[in-house]
Amino acid sequence: MSAAAVAAKPRFAMYWAASCGGCDIAVLNTGEKILEIDAAFDVVFWPVAMDAKYRDVEAMPDGSIALTLFSGSIRNSENEEMARLLRRKSRLLVAFGSCAGEGCIPGLANFSSRTEIFDAAYESVSTDNPEHLRPLPSVTVPEGELHLPEFCATVRTLDQVVPVDYFVPGCPPEPHQIAAVMDLAMAAFAGRAELPPAGSTIGAGHSTVCDECPRERHAKQISSFTRIQQVAALDPALCLLEQGIPCNGPATRDGCGALCPKAGAQCIGCYGPAEGVVDFGARLLSAFASVIDAGDPASIDRVLDGLPDPAGQFYRFNLAKSLLRAGRAAWAEDRKP
Amino acid sequence: MNAERQDAGSGARGTPEDLRIGVYVCHCGSNIAGTVDVEAVRAWAETSLRDRGVVVARDYKFMCSSLGQELIEQDIREQGVNRVVVAACSPHLHERTFRTACENAGLNPYLCELVSVREQDSWVHTDRAAATEKARAIVAGGVERVRHHEELRPLRVPIHPATLVVGGGIGGISAALELANAGYPVYLVEREPSLGGHMAQFDKTFPTLDCSACILTPRMVEAGSNPNITLLTYSEVESVSGYVGNFTVTIRRRARQVDEETCTGCGVCWEKCPVNVIDTRFEAGLGYRKAIYVPFAQAVPKYPVIDRETCTYYLKGTCKACEKFCPPQSIRFDQEDEILTVEVGNIVLATGFKLFDARRIPQYGYGRLPNVFTSLEFERLSNAAGPTGGRVVLRDGVTEPKSVGIVHCVGSRDRAYNNYCSAICCMQSLKFAHLVREHTGATVYEFYIDMRTPSKGYDEFYQRLLEEGTVFIRGKVAEISPGARTPEEDGKLIVHVEDTLAGRQRRIPLDMVILSAGLEPQEDAKEVAKKFGISCSYEGWMIERHPKLDPVATMTEGVMLAGTVQGPKDIPATVAQGAAASARVLGRIQQGEIALEPVRATVDPSMCSGCRICNDLCPFSAIVFHEDRMVTEINPALCQGCGTCVAACPAGAISGTGFSNEQILAQIEGLLMERVRHPAELEAVPA
Ligand SMILES: Cc1cc2nc3c(=O)[nH]c(=O)nc-3n(C[C@H](O)[C@H](O)[C@H](O)COP(=O)(O)OP(=O)(O)OC[C@H]3O[C@@H](n4cnc5c(N)ncnc54)[C@H](O)[C@@H]3O)c2cc1C
Ligand code: SF4
Ligand code: SF4
Ligand code: SF4
Ligand code: SF4
């Protein structure tokens, strides 16, 4: 490619903060679309796909990257630094995937304090750590001073650290939705399409998973919840929730194509809350509570006993973005100067 | 791009330039000002909340007074105030007042927010500094919330001209007649076989001593024959749905086993019925009735009912004596309950009271000592149409008492039972004293704590009784026992009482004691309240909209109260309340339509996923599901804005006008005073 052609193409970056890396793989998994992306953009920074150094990014002029897909949540000072850097360098910063948008699985750590997390990581029975070593932000060794990123008290979402232009939900986002987002971006950069209003969630539907779910449903009354693995035979055509399986579909943004309920598994909520919903868990909790068929406290308790892991049920993907954001222990540490 | 996004973030909170918020802090005399430094809150709001859009803040002794309201109106007119926050009592009390003030000055009334610094602050705290700080937070919450208010317009719906009156005692009868005589249809539902309620059981009524039947019967007959009244006796309301102007009521008409079309009320059937049953209801257990019966001679309607629990045919499969002898062949053993559905615009609840069960006070011996009677038993004893033909006699049925004691406040004004005064029993006891003397010439003792005779002609009646020679002993009866100590006490009831005027303990031997039991709410009051969507007190008296200014309506639009269902009262007060309830209903009917609060829930069909979580939740049956499009819709006329579905919808597809997510979150943010304490932080990382 000639230098002139490169300069004419909009620049693209993708970065992976606190996440499993699945979002990057999902982008690569868009099939032939990846070739189109490569043709349309000048990929300037994408650690998972090509070698690059942070200092290369630092050297770029501010606002020179047209589009950055940022996956992963903000767990440590390095994540935060990169978020700020990429914000500065990018015209469009997209919180890509559930970790960046909602905190996702890393966000569940917000139920514990930093100390508790380190105890679990460095002192559990399965850990061999006879010298009780803990990571330190800086250590002096004979060769000089070494630095490690600082572990923050809580996991934050990207938009809790820097302003974000768009959100693409999913753990990870579905390939057809990624393709649609990239098509939109390419069309917009080519002047063929308008960008949606800033702050929008893109690459997803406007309703919830039930909207795409083919299962038959009725007005609901749930007299007990059962874990799906404990049910011998499920009605293949009836709403899972009505069969007592705690399906998160009613509260989860659509766009995935209701893959899980179609395959016979309950929706676990990876596409996050519907438009305008501030707290996914609270919403779902109050929806479930509204249709529980139990009159007295004892039978209510019995129904709730069918949900042995409420935090996992209601906040698996969105604790960091919820109204509370974190449990008491993490909050307390966060407030410490 | 970056900057644009930040604008969107704060833009959602309204643009400060065109918001002109007025804050009005009320002293409520010393109700608020006694605990909250009102002036400090005002001054703080004016300065600290200026950047939140507050352009004027005032405090005033009584914001609800016309001068207080004028302050608001003036600021709207002269200062262009376009959002109003009043920090005062509670929306229950004065929301309407301040909304009207806004409307008078040309501002949409729904741009006004009343926050409570009285019920939720000054009345529940004593620490002045903390209460003042809390008042600031409450005001800040109101200011943040009102920024998101929108203009709303009330919804107008037509009023159905028919009214449902529940309970056929004197309260219900009075209400029904007022409405029917004004030309509007009434469904009068009574669960007993006849109209009349308690009043039908009495002999005379205080203070004028007119014969109860003589004044009640014409009213019952009128109610039974008025073409505008559909009389549904032996019936009960099963369910109520809908809203003011358009209630749908289902009524169960229990089978009488008698064909009302042909029955002439001749009475041959009950004459021929071989089964005698102790009449625990109308005769208070002192007399008998048959298995087929009318409760009393003047019953309206005149048709009997068969009591299936005691009728031999239903128990053993044979008898049918009534059927054999009925001249017009009107007995119907196969008749079944009928379910009726009617549409009404308003409801008057007049389900009355029940008598306190005197057995609950064991030391008074009712149920154990034969010659201890309850007040209702005495009403039947002294009634010429009663089981003894009006002879006041002991339980043996023959002996006239020579001395009678009447005990006041039985089950009333007593922490162990009911704290309240039953209001009628002093007068009822005086009535009894008079009747006892009139019927038997016996010496009468009244045992009272305080004599409560506060209505027209009532104290005069008391004075008359004093002159008649009734012995009044001021003191609470401790015990009634059979234990004689002297020959004169032999076979008598001993009343142990502290005579507080004479200052000594007394034992008074008597032939007969009458317990003036108090009034209690009906057994099923709580269920009835729930059925009609209103609230009742802990005891079970239905709660009126305002204890002083609106004792007739309830908090549920279109449901009124008449008579003792709302609290103890005598016949004149019951009749007056029945008439007042009807006047209120008539006013509504005359308007032809009613403006409903525009606080309503709506479903955004593009967001509704058709999960059907909300479908069964609406207490007013306002939610419909469209199977074809798989979306839910809310009927705005039926929705009362209760918010149940709004909270339940997991997709956030339902929003409640006036209670949007934005409004509530903004108010919480205000209450936390985040913007006042850390304004910079909030701007730095807009969520
Ligand atoms: C012993 C005694 C003597 C009294 N003497 C006098 C007196 O002399 N002068 C005086 O002014 N006051 C007197 N009172 C007070 C008087 O009884 C009441 O003021 C009056 O009866 C109240 O009328 P009401 O219609 O409110 O209730 P009620 O008379 O109790 O009538 C209520 C009616 O509603 C019906 N009902 C109840 N629940 C339902 C339901 N769910 N569905 C359908 N129907 C239902 C009942 O069957 C009843 O017919 C006396 C009270 C007592 C106890
Ligand atoms: S199975 Fe889940 S996603 Fe499907 S309709 Fe039921 S609740 Fe909704
Ligand atoms: S009216 Fe008289 S008897 Fe009845 S409770 Fe009140 S004080 Fe006692
Ligand atoms: S807010 Fe919802 S549940 Fe409440 S009345 Fe309206 S439609 Fe029914
Ligand atoms: S709860 Fe919400 S999404 Fe579900 S059917 Fe009702 S309105 Fe639709």
Side-chain angles (χ1 to χ4, degrees):
Chain A
M1 268 184 273
S2 76
V6 167
K9 282 204 273 182
R11 295 176 165 198
F12 172 87
M14 182 155 190
Y15 183 69
W16 154 11
S19 76
C20 69
C23 288
D24 288 72
I25 306 304
V27 175
L28 294 172
N29 196 28
T30 49
E32 278 151 28
K33 185 62 64 186
I34 197 72
L35 300 176
E36 268 180 62
I37 296 172
D38 184 51
F41 288 99
D42 178 11
V43 179
V44 293
F45 178 65
W46 190 356
V48 85
M50 57 184 259
D51 186 32
K53 297 282 177 273
Y54 291 171
R55 60 174 180 273
D56 300 338
V57 183
E58 276 157 20
M60 295 176 196
D62 285 359
S64 63
I65 306 174
L67 172 68
T68 296
L69 303 183
F70 191 104
S71 80
S73 52
I74 311 302
R75 170 76 278 183
N76 60 32
S77 55
E78 181 192 12
N79 304 148
E80 182 167 350
E81 231 168 82
M82 284 308 290
R84 293 191 192 284
L85 178 64
L86 286 167
R87 170 71 279 179
R88 218 168 49 237
K89 304 296 170 190
S90 315
R91 271 180 286 149
L92 286 182
L93 179 66
V94 176
F96 190 82
S98 177
C99 290
E102 295 187 275
C104 199
I105 308 294
L108 281 172
N110 283 2
F111 280 121
S112 311
S113 69
R114 199 170 4 200
T115 322
E116 287 164 345
I117 294 168
F118 282 175
D119 285 348
Y122 297 101
E123 302 289 349
S124 65
V125 278
S126 61
T127 313
D128 185 21
N129 184 6
E131 289 165 68
H132 303 292
L133 295 176
R134 293 287 169 107
L136 293 173
S138 66
V139 202
T140 316
V141 290
E143 292 82 1
E145 200 172 73
L146 291 180
H147 292 281
L148 271 183
E150 187 148 5
F151 194 86
C152 306
T154 56
V155 168
R156 283 166 297 164
T157 62
L158 181 61
D159 63 311
Q160 284 165 353
V161 175
V162 293
V164 164
D165 298 299
Y166 298 111
F167 297 84
V168 177
C171 179
E174 281 303 310
H176 74 280
Q177 294 287 12
I178 300 175
V181 166
M182 294 312 293
D183 281 341
L184 174 70
M186 290 185 283
F189 289 132
R192 283 181 282 111
E194 285 261 329
L195 282 170
S200 308
T201 295
I202 54 176
H206 198 63
S207 183
T208 66
V209 174
C210 302
D211 203 45
E212 296 182 319
C213 176
R215 289 177 179 262
E216 183 191 325
R217 60 205 93 126
H218 313 89
K220 295 179 177 34
Q221 283 217 318
I222 299 167
S223 45
S224 67
F225 284 115
T226 321
R227 298 221 275 176
I228 199 160
Q229 57 270 38
Q230 288 166 339
V231 183
L234 279 169
D235 183 329
L238 182 66
C239 165
L240 293 166
L241 194 52
E242 286 168 40
Q243 302 184 59
I245 308 300
C247 179
N248 287 3
T252 307
R253 194 186 274 271
D254 59 338
C256 62
L259 288 175
C260 298
K262 272 185 193 156
Q266 78 267 36
C267 166
I268 54 173
C270 76
Y271 258 63
E275 187 80 44
V277 169
V278 193
D279 193 308
F280 177 96
R283 269 279 157 192
L284 186 63
L285 197 61
S286 102
F288 279 7
S290 303
V291 289
I292 283 180
D293 181 20
D296 54 291
S299 45
I300 294 170
D301 282 347
R302 218 172 305 124
V303 177
L304 294 182
D305 283 347
L307 299 172
D309 173 22
Q313 179 74 43
F314 298 106
Y315 287 103
R316 182 180 300 181
F317 295 98
N318 57 91
L319 180 65
K321 188 66 174 278
S322 70
L323 276 177
L324 291 177
R325 292 193 185 179
R328 186 198 288 248
W331 263 123
E333 220 167 58
D334 201 31
R335 287 279 152 114
K336 268 186 219 149
Chain B
M1 203 64 75
N2 203 343
E4 224 177 271
R5 201 221 51 77
Q6 274 181 333
D7 273 1
S10 52
R13 301 199 160 87
T15 37
E17 302 80 62
D18 42 67
L19 278 174
R20 297 183 63 79
I21 305 174
V23 171
Y24 304 87
V25 193
C26 184
H27 293 238
C28 194
S30 61
N31 269 308
I32 296 169
T35 317
V36 169
D37 186 344
V38 170
E39 159 58 19
V41 174
R42 184 210 64 78
W44 170 84
E46 195 168 62
T47 50
S48 300
L49 298 181
R50 176 162 301 161
D51 65 329
R52 305 307 300 152
V54 173
V55 292
V56 50
R58 298 186 193 280
D59 63 291
Y60 192 68
K61 268 236 144 345
F62 293 103
M63 276 309 301
C64 61
S65 67
S66 41
L67 287 175
Q69 293 179 53
E70 268 165 35
L71 287 178
I72 300 178
E73 294 176 25
Q74 217 167 352
D75 287 347
I76 294 173
R77 290 205 186 93
E78 291 165 16
Q79 304 221 29
V81 161
N82 55 18
R83 294 284 191 287
V84 170
V85 175
V86 184
C89 44
S90 75
H92 257 185
L93 219 55
H94 275 308
E95 188 171 70
R96 193 171 292 178
T97 311
F98 297 115
R99 281 185 176 172
T100 310
C102 291
E103 202 166 20
N104 288 344
L107 186 67
N108 184 288
Y110 297 93
L111 298 178
C112 170
E113 175 75 12
L114 173 49
V115 292
S116 173
V117 291
R118 193 180 77 174
E119 284 81 344
Q120 295 183 355
D121 192 2
S122 69
W123 276 0
V124 289
H125 297 295
T126 47
D127 179 337
R128 193 172 166 82
T132 303
E133 182 63 8
K134 183 169 172 182
R136 287 194 185 105
I138 290 172
V139 169
V143 166
E144 290 303 327
R145 187 179 213 283
V146 85
R147 292 166 61 94
H148 297 277
H149 279 211
E150 286 170 5
E151 295 195 358
L152 300 176
R153 323 236 163 258
L155 204 74
R156 311 199 78 87
V157 293
I159 298 257
H160 198 289
T163 305
L164 171 74
V165 177
V166 190
I170 188 60
I173 294 174
S174 307
L177 282 174
E178 297 286 344
L179 291 162
N181 288 336
Y184 296 104
V186 175
Y187 299 95
L188 177 53
V189 176
E190 165 59 53
R191 92 175 144 198
E192 296 292 320
S194 169
L195 293 180
H198 283 96
M199 193 177 166
Q201 293 172 280
F202 308 158
D203 179 31
K204 298 282 185 336
T205 55
F206 61 72
T208 45
L209 299 176
D210 356 32
C211 143
S212 189
C214 311
I215 56 175
L216 177 64
T217 311
R219 303 294 280 165
M220 295 200 300
V221 171
E222 208 186 328
S225 57
N226 190 308
N228 285 331
I229 297 182
T230 308
L231 191 57
L232 301 165
T233 51
Y234 212 43
S235 303
E236 248 175 295
V237 172
E238 295 253 292
S239 67
V240 181
S241 62
Y243 55 96
V244 58
N246 297 275
F247 291 107
T248 304
V249 183
T250 54
I251 300 164
R252 176 179 293 270
R253 296 194 72 181
R254 289 168 61 201
R256 288 182 113 91
Q257 322 302 155
V258 168
D259 175 22
E260 295 182 22
E261 295 290 312
T262 54
C263 168
T264 58
C266 68
V268 172
C269 53
W270 63 83
E271 214 170 274
K272 297 295 177 190
C273 173
V275 184
N276 267 317
V277 185
I278 296 181
D279 183 357
T280 51
R281 268 208 136 9
F282 190 77
E283 294 296 3
L286 294 183
Y288 293 90
R289 63 162 169 81
K290 295 297 182 62
I292 183 165
Y293 71 104
V294 290
F296 53 102
Q298 306 93 323
V300 173
K302 62 191 172 195
Y303 321 114
V305 299
I306 295 182
D307 170 15
R308 296 174 62 144
E309 312 268 284
T310 51
C311 165
T312 315
Y313 172 72
Y314 287 106
L315 294 177
K316 303 215 175 90
T318 56
C319 179
K320 295 199 169 183
C322 51
E323 190 185 46
K324 206 171 307 156
F325 290 101
C326 172
Q329 296 292 300
S330 302
I331 306 296
R332 298 283 181 274
F333 287 108
D334 58 355
Q335 200 178 55
E336 300 210 350
D337 290 6
E338 211 183 309
I339 304 286
L340 225 74
T341 304
V342 302
E343 307 280 325
V344 298
N346 291 278
I347 297 174
V348 177
L349 210 58
T351 48
F353 67 94
K354 83 168 199 309
L355 204 67
F356 171 79
D357 179 5
R359 282 187 182 80
R360 286 168 60 195
I361 311 184
Q363 63 272 30
Y364 285 179
Y366 179 70
R368 176 165 49 87
L369 307 173
N371 290 320
V372 176
F373 288 79
T374 66
S375 47
L376 266 182
E377 283 179 326
F378 180 80
E379 290 285 359
R380 296 313 299 153
L381 272 187
S382 62
N383 195 311
T388 58
R391 282 184 314 116
V392 174
V393 287
L394 299 183
R395 201 69 76 171
D396 65 9
V398 288
T399 320
E400 272 199 1
K402 302 234 162 10
S403 53
V404 176
I406 302 170
V407 182
H408 288 225
C409 301
V410 175
S412 310
R413 309 181 65 201
D414 185 330
R415 266 156 216 264
Y417 306 102
N418 293 307
N419 254 336
Y420 55 82
C421 165
S422 289
I424 58 103
C425 15
C426 277
M427 280 303 288
Q428 163 251 295
S429 300
L430 293 172
K431 171 175 84 174
F432 286 3
H434 176 84
L435 292 177
V436 169
R437 284 182 65 85
E438 193 178 81
H439 285 247
T440 65
T443 316
V444 183
Y445 290 80
E446 294 251 357
F447 303 99
Y448 70 103
I449 310 175
D450 297 291
M451 192 59 76
R452 302 203 159 161
T453 54
S455 275
K456 188 173 173 184
Y458 285 16
D459 207 63
E460 291 89 323
F461 188 70
Y462 174 31
Q463 284 159 33
R464 174 172 163 192
L465 265 287
L466 283 167
E467 281 157 22
E468 277 179 8
T470 305
V471 186
F472 288 91
I473 295 178
R474 189 174 193 271
K476 192 171 161 79
V477 171
E479 192 188 350
I480 301 165
S481 71
R485 279 193 196 155
T486 58
E488 307 90 80
E489 288 185 2
D490 228 17
K492 306 241 176 190
L493 295 166
I494 315 298
V495 173
H496 304 257
V497 63
E498 183 193 356
D499 185 336
T500 56
L501 295 181
R504 62 191 175 91
Q505 298 289 336
R506 294 182 65 174
R507 293 166 57 85
I508 301 177
L510 297 166
D511 292 334
M512 179 189 225
V513 173
I514 304 164
L515 303 179
S516 292
L519 271 46
E520 281 192 336
Q522 293 278 17
E523 212 77 68
D524 59 352
K526 294 197 166 95
E527 288 150 49
V528 169
K530 202 169 160 217
K531 198 177 284 175
F532 290 90
I534 61 174
S535 4
C536 61
S537 68
Y538 172 73
E539 296 104 358
W541 303 112
M542 303 301 163
I543 297 177
E544 60 283 338
R545 184 176 276 259
H546 190 281
K548 281 148 268 178
L549 302 178
D550 200 349
V552 170
T554 63
M555 289 312 295
T556 302
E557 292 280 354
V559 181
M560 319 290 159
L561 303 174
T564 45
V565 66
Q566 179 240 354
K569 57 176 68 66
D570 56 18
I571 295 167
T574 298
V575 172
Q577 201 179 13
S582 302
R584 188 64 69 77
V585 171
L586 286 172
R588 277 269 163 72
I589 299 174
Q590 296 268 295
Q591 285 168 7
E593 53 174 30
I594 184 171
L596 297 179
E597 274 280 297
V599 176
R600 290 285 174 278
T602 43
V603 177
D604 177 342
S606 74
M607 293 180 77
C608 170
S609 68
C611 72
R612 310 200 60 177
I613 296 257
C614 64
N615 285 189
D616 256 0
L617 301 177
C618 179
F620 305 96
S621 315
I623 299 179
V624 277
F625 184 68
H626 298 292
E627 201 87 46
D628 50 338
R629 290 178 282 139
M630 292 296 277
V631 290
T632 289
E633 197 182 28
I634 290 170
N635 178 339
L638 288 173
C639 171
Q640 299 288 296
C642 72
T644 307
C645 64
V646 182
C649 174
I654 314 183
S655 57
T657 4
F659 292 87
S660 68
N661 258 353
E662 264 187 345
Q663 283 168 313
I664 290 167
L665 291 170
Q667 185 162 22
I668 294 173
E669 203 174 79
L671 281 165
L672 297 173
M673 297 239 263
E674 293 273 305
R675 282 188 181 278
V676 183
R677 291 199 186 113
H678 324 278
E681 252 173 62
L682 266 171
E683 297 306 336
V685 185

